[in-house]
Amino acid sequence: MRADVEAAAADIEQSVGLLRRRLDWEPALRKLDELNARAEDPTLWDRPSDAQALMRERTKLATQVEAVRALERERQDTLDFAELAEMEGDQASLEEAAATLKALKDRAGRAELEALLSGEADPNDAYVEINSGAGGTESADWALMLTRMYTRWATAHGMSVDVLEETAGETAGLKSATLQVKGLNAYGWLKTEAGVHRLVRISPFDSNARRHTSFASVWVYPVVDDTIVIEINPADVRTDTYRASGAGGQHINKTDSAVRLTHIPTGIAVACQTQRSQHQNRENAWQMLRARLYEAELQRREEAQAALEDAKTDIGWGHQIRSYVLQPYQLVKDLRTEVETSDTQGVLDGDLDAFMGASLSQRVGATRDAGGSFADP
């Protein structure tokens, strides 16, 4: 057991060293001191946009620094506890220390992945659009299952989820849904989920209990703030209003309060129906449209860079990224990274970190060394 404790502690120490290098530790501490000093300037909020940008930068850096310090502190405390348990021959406490270090090692691994989220929009909140494919009720139910999956993933990671748009299926499930996931690095993590998701199962809607294959698409784009200027010519945008079909009581079904905006040059369309006021839905839809156009620009940049490196990964509509097989066997497999698991229920309940982590590592070109930690590419 002592060997297990020492091995886990060594892995954590290696992760901490990597995190310190990625943060450029000493300059990062000086930068944090500078940001803290500027945050105390009473005139800072005379310029709200500058103040918000500074506070975001400070929060991100402070979170990264504290994560490293917490890993170091908890590692040492647990090692001291294990040493005391060994001296007293307390096997139960030694096992407890080993379990604590294992959980700490998992946290360190996630922190390594967080350190890879260096894209300009990675720290932002995210919009997640889910659309059912061909297949009627079965595909609509699959879209509902995906909506639940991402909601549970976000909740498990301390993020909040707002449903901005929901269109019910004709019999069950959802034709489409738009979620806003709020939390640090929401976009950085969720962007790896963009693409087509395939489900194979015995359909609960088929009286003959036949196996069905269903598809649903996931599109992810960052929420952008007022500091990012996205110029949109109003003449290029078509506005449609319609009667909302989702939850919202009697009022939402009596008025054409829902708003859909279509950016004609790109064909990008967004919709919002969660507010009772058409004006509020219109404002939210414009915010979403700005975010979609911003994400499209980020994707163009990424694809251009990937083409130069001859390592382009297709993530758009029409490109299947993951297969979920529930019958005749249990398997979820990511077709980009080859990561797979037989714990299909765990995945559908939001356990997506292994898939996200592998995809994120692939995107940034990171590799694992023999010790299991991420090495600089």
Side-chain angles (χ1 to χ4, degrees):
M1 182 61 67
R2 179 65 181 178
D4 292 342
V5 167
E6 291 175 348
D11 286 341
I12 296 167
E13 185 177 22
Q14 187 178 32
S15 292
V16 166
L18 176 77
L19 290 167
R20 279 174 167 264
R21 290 195 300 275
R22 285 195 177 278
L23 273 175
D24 200 4
W25 187 252
E26 294 303 328
L29 294 182
R30 290 194 294 271
K31 180 66 173 178
L32 183 57
D33 287 342
E34 176 192 334
L35 293 171
N36 285 334
R38 290 172 60 191
E40 294 175 1
D41 183 350
T43 67
L44 175 66
W45 288 96
D46 293 344
R47 305 174 304 280
S49 61
D50 292 346
Q52 290 170 2
L54 184 146
M55 298 304 288
R56 280 195 300 272
E57 184 180 6
R58 186 182 74 155
T59 298
K60 180 180 179 181
L61 186 55
T63 299
Q64 292 172 326
V65 168
E66 178 53 30
V68 174
R69 286 174 168 166
L71 287 170
E72 292 177 313
R73 184 171 58 248
E74 293 177 41
R75 171 186 174 276
Q76 189 58 53
D77 288 348
T78 307
L79 278 176
D80 292 343
F81 177 73
E83 184 176 353
L84 182 62
E86 188 174 42
M87 290 173 58
E88 297 179 350
D90 186 345
Q91 187 63 25
S93 292
L94 196 57
E95 290 176 358
E96 180 184 346
T100 299
L101 283 172
K102 182 180 182 303
L104 199 59
K105 179 182 174 182
D106 291 341
R107 267 178 51 197
R110 182 173 177 83
E112 288 185 39
L113 287 173
E114 294 274 6
L116 299 177
L117 298 175
S118 57
E120 60 183 288
D122 284 350
N124 294 26
D125 298 342
Y127 294 117
V128 181
E129 287 186 10
I130 300 163
N131 292 280
S132 63
T137 301
E138 181 67 18
S139 290
D141 192 52
W142 177 220
L144 176 62
M145 291 168 66
L146 288 173
T147 301
R148 174 181 175 273
M149 182 178 78
Y150 290 120
T151 299
R152 292 203 166 193
W153 174 85
T155 301
H157 290 87
M159 302 182 188
S160 62
V161 179
D162 292 336
V163 179
L164 299 183
E165 183 272 337
E166 234 180 37
T167 301
E170 294 180 3
T171 304
L174 296 170
K175 289 182 179 178
S176 66
T178 302
L179 310 176
Q180 183 175 352
V181 180
K182 300 178 180 178
L184 182 63
N185 291 323
Y187 175 67
W189 286 108
L190 286 164
K191 69 183 182 183
T192 63
E193 292 296 294
V196 173
H197 297 246
R198 170 178 175 261
L199 173 69
V200 180
R201 66 171 178 174
I202 302 297
S203 172
F205 306 102
D206 188 334
S207 59
N208 294 316
R210 291 172 296 189
R211 191 170 61 177
H212 286 244
T213 299
S214 305
F215 295 89
S217 71
V218 175
W219 189 263
V220 182
Y221 49 103
V223 176
V224 297
D225 56 39
D226 292 336
T227 64
I228 299 173
V229 179
I230 306 296
E231 297 290 345
I232 304 175
N233 184 351
D236 289 338
V237 178
R238 185 179 71 245
T239 302
D240 298 303
T241 58
Y242 59 99
R243 189 162 300 177
S245 60
Q250 294 179 349
H251 174 83
I252 199 168
N253 292 316
K254 287 183 178 179
T255 63
D256 290 343
S257 59
V259 175
R260 179 183 293 106
L261 301 179
T262 304
H263 186 244
I264 298 170
T266 62
I268 290 174
V270 298
C272 185
Q273 65 176 42
T274 54
Q275 304 298 323
R276 294 190 172 189
S277 161
Q278 184 185 115
H279 176 71
Q280 290 176 306
N281 283 328
R282 188 186 302 272
E283 285 188 353
N284 289 344
W286 271 98
Q287 175 83 358
M288 293 164 64
L289 182 59
R290 290 174 62 242
R292 278 291 301 271
L293 291 172
Y294 177 60
E295 192 276 340
E297 175 59 27
L298 291 179
Q299 185 172 321
R300 279 194 293 271
R301 295 182 199 171
E302 179 179 304
E303 289 176 350
Q305 180 63 29
L308 290 176
E309 298 170 359
D310 196 28
K312 183 176 182 295
T313 300
D314 291 323
I315 62 170
W317 172 273
H319 300 96
Q320 185 180 321
I321 66 165
R322 191 174 303 143
S323 179
Y324 306 69
V325 181
L326 306 187
Q327 278 99 12
Y329 53 88
Q330 303 268 313
L331 182 69
V332 179
K333 181 174 182 178
D334 195 286
L335 306 180
R336 302 162 298 178
T337 63
E338 301 299 317
V339 171
E340 61 182 54
T341 178
S342 59
D343 183 15
T344 56
Q345 190 56 53
V347 172
L348 293 174
D349 283 338
D351 186 5
L352 298 167
D353 286 2
F355 297 106
M356 291 180 172
S359 182
L360 179 62
S361 301
Q362 185 183 73
R363 277 171 171 248
V364 300
T367 56
R368 279 192 176 273
D369 61 23
S373 64
F374 282 99
D376 293 327

